[in-house]
Amino acid sequence: MIEHKELSTFDELIEKEHGPIGSDSRVEYEARAQMFIVSEMLKAARKEAKLTQEELAIKAGTQKSYISKIENGKGNIQLSTLIRIFEKGLNRKIGFTFL
């Protein structure tokens, strides 16, 4: 187990646990973190719209299993499909910010 007593910021913790920005470990961690965020956003939006995964899939023109994979952070998301799910399935827009 890694000692954390000397750490004072979240950024220091992430670097200690996953390596510096750009390292393979850090890139993998950040990709998983982004997938988790997308999955939680989709799940929350679907529940707010009071739709089942099946209903959302039908509206978005995809499969229930695909919606389930995304919501569980296990899917490989194509951007065009994600946009279609939010726009056609949930009547929502997606915004992007480049950092």
Side-chain angles (χ1 to χ4, degrees):
M1 181 180 242
I2 296 175
E3 252 330 288
H4 297 96
K5 291 178 185 176
E6 75 284 0
L7 303 177
S8 59
T9 68
F10 184 69
D11 289 335
E12 289 174 354
L13 173 65
I14 297 301
E15 185 157 333
K16 182 138 188 160
E17 291 283 331
H18 302 286
I21 292 172
S23 68
D24 289 346
S25 175
R26 182 72 170 262
V27 168
E28 183 181 333
Y29 163 76
E30 289 175 352
R32 284 192 328 265
Q34 290 299 317
M35 185 63 200
F36 174 77
I37 291 167
V38 168
S39 70
E40 290 300 308
M41 289 173 61
L42 177 59
K43 203 179 314 180
R46 177 181 61 76
K47 288 179 179 182
E48 184 178 307
K50 295 180 176 34
L51 294 173
T52 65
Q53 289 179 344
E54 181 74 31
E55 292 166 333
L56 176 56
I58 291 168
K59 288 181 78 171
T62 191
Q63 300 292 315
K64 177 197 176 288
S65 60
Y66 188 74
I67 302 294
S68 178
K69 283 180 185 177
I70 295 171
E71 287 189 3
N72 288 300
K74 296 187 167 74
N76 186 6
I77 305 171
Q78 287 190 359
L79 185 56
S80 59
T81 306
L82 182 64
I83 291 169
R84 189 174 72 238
I85 289 169
F86 273 91
E87 289 185 353
K88 283 188 157 188
L90 297 166
N91 199 30
R92 292 262 185 97
K93 295 286 185 192
I94 294 179
F96 295 98
T97 302
F98 295 97
L99 304 174

